[in-house]
Amino acid sequence: MTEDIWVKGYVYCVTVVQQDEGRFRGQILVKSHRYSGRSFVPPVLIETPALFKREHAAEIEARALARELIDSGAIEARLGPPPAPAIESQAGSRSSHTE
């Protein structure tokens, strides 16, 4: 697994897994988006569509895919909609002050 990578507010790391057939697949683990304050626990997993004979090739593909998704804005579709803002109850904020 790589160190955290920061691009345009997104924090992610790249890893490689070996598949059953002995080939390697790159994975992107998106941890957060610092500009919007969104965190993803567990991280959102995005796998590369291609398999490779070499581990290094799979890592390069995952890094390139991450950058492509971020630069094009397509990563948002993979992350899902942002959570709805919390609405505070007005009843809980009233005080019962009497004199």
Side-chain angles (χ1 to χ4, degrees), residues 38 40 76-77 79-84:
R38 293 170 67 190
F40 306 102
E76 283 299 319
L79 299 178

Side-chain angles (χ1 to χ4, degrees), residues 56-92:
H56 185 67
E59 181 181 341
I60 291 170
E61 177 71 7
R63 286 175 178 266
L65 177 60
R67 191 61 198 244
E68 180 181 329
L69 291 172
I70 291 169
D71 287 345
S72 70
I75 194 164
E76 283 299 319
R78 303 280 185 107
L79 299 178
I87 300 173
E88 292 186 27
S89 171
Q90 292 294 331

Side-chain angles (χ1 to χ4, degrees), residues 46-59:
I46 301 171
E47 292 187 317
T48 60
L51 294 172
F52 297 89
K53 291 180 183 179
R54 296 187 58 222
E55 185 175 357
H56 185 67
E59 181 181 341

